[in-house]
Amino acid sequence: MPEKKTYYITTPIYYPSDKLHIGHSYTTVAADCEARYRRLKGYDVMFLTGTDEHGQKIQKKAEAKGVTPQAYVDEIVAGIKDLWALMDITNDKFIRTTDDYHVKAVQKIFKKLYDQGDIYKSEYEGHYCTPCESFWTETQLVDGKCPDCGGNVEITKEESYFFRLSKYQDRLIEFIEGNPDFISPSARKNEMLNNFIKKGLEDLCVSRTSFDWGVPVTFDDKHVVYVWVDALSNYITAMGYGSDDDSDYKKYWPADMHLVGKEIVRFHTIIWPALLMALDLPLPKQVYGHGWLLLNGDKMSKSKGNVVDPVILVDRYTSDAIRYFLLREVPFGSDGSFTPESLIKRINADLANDLGNLVSRTAAMEIKYFGGAMPEAKDRLNTEADDEVIGMLSQLSKTVEGYLDQLQFPLALTEIWKCVSRLNKYIDETAPWILSKNEEDKPRLAAVMYTLLEGIRIVSILLEPFMPKTPAKIWEQIGLEAGSDITVWDSAATWGLYPAGAVAKKGDPIFPRLDLEKELAALEEIKQAAEAKKEEKKEAPAEAKATDAKAELPEGVITIDDFAKVKLVVAEVMTAERVEGSEKLIKMKLNVGNAEKQVVSGIAKFYTPEEMVGKKVVFVANLAPATLCGVLSEGMILAATKGKKLTLLTIEGDLPAGSKIS
Ligand code: MSP
């Protein structure tokens, strides 16, 4: 038997956020629709999604919650997996960048690039915001201040590894121009070429030392790999690249389709191909940058209200209805708009009225006029209306496949709905209720019913990739079975397979009509209840939850999470001097790895300033600043004391300043 053709499709891996909104599910639903279609066409499909779990932001959020980053992401990732299950997503693999096999493979990739000279060590110079521990470029600053906290920034240097992105500029241009479909739609290709690549690529900073929630660089462990290098690699590490079993990599790579939102096309069409070129690996066949689902014309965010919470929407309206909305509403490649009104109107107009009515009216008439069982009638179709309907429905599968081959989901659905409308019009034109009145019109009535049932069969099969649960509901009402020869995908290409003798059954409406006003009021109520809950949480002291959890601990005992909040690092004393007017205090400048800090410490009776210079001490880096004798102290250094004795905690050996102590 010839081997099946493979089709490897990916979504971006998602940042773990408990604020995923309906817009986020757009990429995944679109990729799922394409994956389902390819499976129905007989491809051996690999559909990959996952989560992008490293980075400073996650580390900070975990710290703020008082939990370890791993515990923080574990909980959220479980929620993301549940969401995909709720939306009937059929990914074949789910990768987490915290998976051990991924971490090891990224380390190998980084080392290989370093060994071959594509990664080199240098210094990253930028603006540094100490409270936020973030580097910013000149253009990212807002009025010269930190864009996150609005505070002052200082120019600072951080030792970093760099990837020779500039070396790949010409090869990238050549590749993109030689493979016009690599970046789609083509407007995005022009944007990448003209606004970015041809303007000149600079080498890319690919490691960080200012936080440690990332993949450690094996040969220099104060560095962690830049999150985008870590994240992009998932597309090959998930297939086993860099592991003992790379059979999936050999089978599926290069990917056929990286489906991504427009804002991250840049990473996928510049950094990613350059990394692959450096690794001497084949490039993916296509990166498709889709548009955004906007909320009332604005960027969506869950903080704008619960109307965009996908769990609430799916629970209330079913995953098929939400999938339909997403795939129908956003012209693929451009932006689309979401409002509760637009969702409810689409459900009512397209699903309840057009499709739902077609199915329920047809089944009801078949039951009423023929006791449900279809008589032999297909050879009696001979009117102009019959010909038009047969012509449209015979072509439908080819047209839909043509659009699905190019990820044009709304166009495919539009074609299907043209047929749904044509069938509804056919009911009005043929007026079966009049035909039913005369016995001699019965053969014509049977022919009309046949056209409707066969039309519905073809439409229902083609709906499967978009709305996986709906076809079976329709089949039940028109007397067909899932898995039979006449409900498989390819059978939609042939007109005339609906069998005589099939028995229609009355069923519930496949999409009940919604009362717009009531729904809007209900959604508003849900939103307000959620907001009230949020307020309640805000009012309750932040520590309440943590205190509850610790209720059983003896007094004075802390948890490992409490301890993890204290950030201890190795600091080297650069300068030291007595604080004027104080017998006890020494003021020191410390090198803490990526910045310089000033501390004031009460050690003057035990150490001279000269003795202090060059010592490596333990520094508490995240202590709120304080002023001692009018001098700013940005942390503290640790010492052991007993009675009148005091000894500083110092670090032996050659651990560099900035090394983490845990
Ligand atoms: N972690 C990166 C991707 C790394 S891939 C190597 C990331 N994650 S994300 O969670 O922010 O986004 C995941 C996907 O959701 C992206 O494709 C993004 O475009 C998509 N969307 C997020 N909001 C969206 C809308 N409002 N509308 C449509 N898609 C949007 O980026």
Side-chain angles (χ1 to χ4, degrees):
M1 242 178 51
E3 272 201 27
K4 276 183 163 185
K5 235 180 127 185
T6 58
Y7 185 79
Y8 179 20
I9 181 166
T10 67
T11 71
I13 46 174
Y14 283 70
Y15 292 127
S17 158
D18 50 6
K19 291 215 169 82
L20 286 195
H21 52 67
I22 190 69
H24 281 113
S25 54
Y26 182 68
T27 323
T28 316
V29 165
D32 183 67
C33 180
E34 190 64 24
R36 283 176 181 271
Y37 159 63
R38 299 282 172 165
R39 282 190 207 107
L40 290 166
K41 279 294 287 172
Y43 284 79
D44 174 344
V45 171
M46 170 55 72
F47 170 20
L48 174 72
T49 189
T51 38
D52 183 359
E53 303 179 17
H54 289 129
Q56 191 170 23
K57 263 196 203 157
I58 299 286
Q59 185 166 345
K60 281 195 167 164
K61 282 188 184 163
E63 274 165 13
K65 256 190 123 181
V67 297
T68 61
Q70 190 66 53
Y72 175 78
V73 290
D74 283 350
E75 193 184 332
I76 294 178
V77 171
I80 293 180
K81 286 185 173 174
D82 288 348
L83 173 63
W84 297 154
L86 193 70
M87 300 199 81
D88 296 313
I89 303 300
T90 54
N91 53 296
D92 299 289
K93 241 195 140 193
F94 191 101
I95 185 171
R96 299 182 56 178
T97 51
T98 49
D99 286 337
D100 197 41
Y101 73 89
H102 170 80
V103 170
K104 288 197 175 117
V106 169
Q107 288 177 324
K108 275 194 193 166
I109 290 171
F110 201 91
K111 176 84 168 50
K112 179 175 162 42
L113 295 176
Y114 177 71
D115 288 345
Q116 72 191 36
D118 272 304
I119 283 179
Y120 62 93
K121 198 172 188 175
S122 182
E123 259 186 344
Y124 177 88
E125 192 170 341
H127 298 270
Y128 189 69
C129 171
T130 311
C132 299
E133 284 192 299
S134 298
F135 285 97
W136 303 106
T137 61
E138 187 75 42
T139 49
Q140 287 171 321
L141 299 178
V142 177
D143 299 330
K145 308 259 175 176
C146 169
D148 266 4
C149 70
N152 287 331
V153 290
E154 47 192 291
I155 295 211
T156 187
K157 285 182 180 175
E158 183 184 306
E159 173 191 286
S160 279
Y161 287 92
F162 282 79
F163 170 60
R164 291 191 197 281
L165 186 60
S166 57
K167 176 176 149 188
Y168 293 94
Q169 175 169 334
D170 293 342
R171 269 179 73 187
L172 266 175
I173 296 175
E174 199 184 318
F175 180 82
I176 294 170
E177 288 181 340
N179 295 274
D181 291 335
F182 173 62
I183 309 178
S184 283
S186 58
R188 301 212 198 285
K189 175 183 76 186
N190 300 335
E191 188 194 348
M192 290 305 125
L193 274 176
N194 302 332
N195 295 1
F196 294 103
I197 311 177
K198 288 187 178 170
K199 280 197 172 157
L201 295 177
E202 282 178 20
D203 288 354
L204 178 75
C205 175
V206 288
S207 77
R208 292 285 190 269
T209 53
S210 50
F211 62 93
D212 59 7
W213 179 239
V215 175
V217 172
T218 45
F219 49 91
D220 196 347
D221 64 7
K222 80 177 173 189
H223 290 258
V224 292
V225 175
Y226 173 46
V227 274
W228 271 99
V229 171
D230 169 6
L232 288 161
S233 306
N234 94 88
Y235 299 129
I236 52 175
T237 63
M239 296 298 103
Y241 177 84
S243 79
D244 294 340
D245 178 6
D246 64 355
S247 50
D248 277 343
Y249 171 78
K250 288 194 177 119
K251 186 170 176 190
Y252 295 108
W253 190 258
D256 294 85
M257 178 60 64
H258 286 323
L259 187 57
V260 304
K262 63 180 180 182
E263 80 285 12
I264 52 174
V265 169
R266 197 155 56 92
F267 298 93
H268 285 81
T269 58
I270 301 176
I271 301 178
W272 182 223
L275 283 170
L276 288 166
M277 282 173 180
L279 291 167
D280 204 17
L281 299 177
L283 267 47
K285 292 179 200 158
Q286 193 168 64
V287 176
Y288 198 109
H290 67 68
W292 284 341
L293 185 68
L294 304 172
L295 177 68
N296 300 321
D298 262 349
K299 228 181 146 193
M300 194 170 277
S301 99
K302 203 163 151 195
S303 53
K304 290 186 182 160
N306 270 61
V307 288
V308 295
D309 185 332
V311 176
I312 291 179
L313 293 175
V314 169
D315 277 350
R316 203 165 173 87
Y317 303 113
T318 75
S319 65
D320 271 15
I322 301 301
R323 288 172 65 109
Y324 173 78
F325 176 85
L326 292 172
L327 295 167
R328 176 69 187 79
E329 197 74 13
V330 186
F332 210 67
S334 323
D335 292 345
S337 191
F338 170 88
T339 59
E341 289 91 327
S342 60
L343 171 69
I344 293 157
K345 282 185 177 162
R346 267 230 178 265
I347 294 178
N348 276 345
D350 299 6
L351 301 180
N353 280 5
D354 292 351
L355 180 66
N357 276 348
L358 173 67
V359 174
S360 57
R361 277 163 96 195
T362 303
M365 289 190 292
E366 176 62 18
I367 293 164
K368 190 166 171 197
Y369 306 140
F370 295 101
M374 187 61 222
E376 190 59 67
K378 77 169 165 196
D379 300 329
R380 294 185 216 131
L381 298 167
N382 49 21
T383 69
E384 227 176 82
D386 297 343
D387 288 347
E388 200 188 318
V389 170
I390 295 170
M392 277 176 83
L393 280 140
S394 305
Q395 279 303 310
L396 184 61
S397 122
K398 222 171 140 201
T399 317
V400 168
E401 287 191 359
Y403 283 134
L404 282 177
D405 286 339
Q406 299 167 52
L407 296 101
Q408 291 298 340
F409 310 109
L411 296 182
L413 285 171
T414 305
E415 288 304 314
I416 297 177
W417 254 258
K418 276 187 198 161
C419 287
V420 170
S421 300
R422 186 64 192 86
L423 288 167
N424 274 322
K425 188 172 152 213
Y426 181 81
I427 299 182
D428 298 337
E429 285 167 351
T430 54
W433 50 93
I434 297 179
L435 294 175
S436 72
K437 294 206 169 106
N438 296 314
E439 202 47 39
E440 66 269 27
D441 286 336
K442 270 270 164 112
R444 174 67 192 146
L445 179 61
V448 165
M449 291 315 302
Y450 186 87
T451 309
L452 291 170
L453 290 161
E454 174 61 353
I456 294 173
R457 181 189 72 87
I458 290 176
V459 162
S460 60
I461 292 169
L462 297 176
L463 287 179
E464 193 167 338
F466 307 90
M467 302 198 283
K469 286 187 176 126
T470 300
K473 288 187 188 161
I474 299 179
W475 296 335
E476 209 184 315
Q477 300 201 18
I478 63 167
L480 299 179
E481 264 174 40
S484 72
D485 286 353
I486 54 171
T487 50
V488 292
W489 181 263
D490 284 342
S491 72
T494 311
W495 171 269
L497 299 182
Y498 190 84
V503 179
K505 273 188 223 104
K506 195 161 168 40
D508 293 332
I510 50 174
F511 290 100
R513 215 188 135 70
L514 303 167
D515 181 321
L516 178 65
E517 296 305 314
K518 264 196 202 153
E519 283 309 312
L520 293 181
L523 286 175
E524 186 57 35
E525 213 171 283
I526 292 173
K527 181 176 143 190
Q528 281 179 8
E531 271 162 15
K533 222 171 167 189
K534 235 194 308 178
E535 281 305 308
E536 248 171 52
K537 257 197 204 160
K538 257 195 228 157
E539 275 159 28
E543 295 90 323
K545 233 172 106 191
T547 324
D548 284 352
K550 289 182 224 156
E552 296 101 62
L553 291 177
E555 205 176 316
V557 174
I558 60 168
T559 66
I560 185 85
D561 288 339
D562 292 331
F563 180 69
K565 286 188 204 166
V566 183
K567 199 171 161 201
L568 300 175
V569 296
V570 175
E572 188 174 352
V573 181
M574 315 292 290
T575 61
E577 59 186 270
R578 280 181 172 275
V579 172
E580 251 177 67
S582 163
E583 285 182 4
K584 283 189 192 165
L585 298 178
I586 292 186
K587 176 175 95 175
M588 288 162 278
K589 291 256 191 263
L590 305 179
N591 168 9
V592 296
N594 51 36
E596 212 178 82
K597 299 272 180 157
Q598 173 170 294
V599 286
V600 178
S601 183
I603 52 171
K605 289 200 171 151
F606 310 95
Y607 295 89
T608 63
E610 296 72 34
E611 257 179 301
M612 287 305 298
V613 175
K615 274 198 195 310
K616 283 186 184 159
V617 292
V618 178
F619 175 62
V620 184
N622 58 344
L623 204 62
T627 311
L628 305 175
C629 270
V631 184
L632 175 73
S633 184
E634 300 173 286
M636 68 187 259
I637 58 175
L638 299 186
T641 55
K642 174 111 189 181
K644 290 190 172 166
K645 285 189 175 168
L646 179 147
T647 306
L648 281 170
L649 298 191
T650 51
I651 303 293
E652 284 177 11
D654 56 3
L655 265 187
S659 301
K660 192 177 165 204
I661 300 171
S662 52

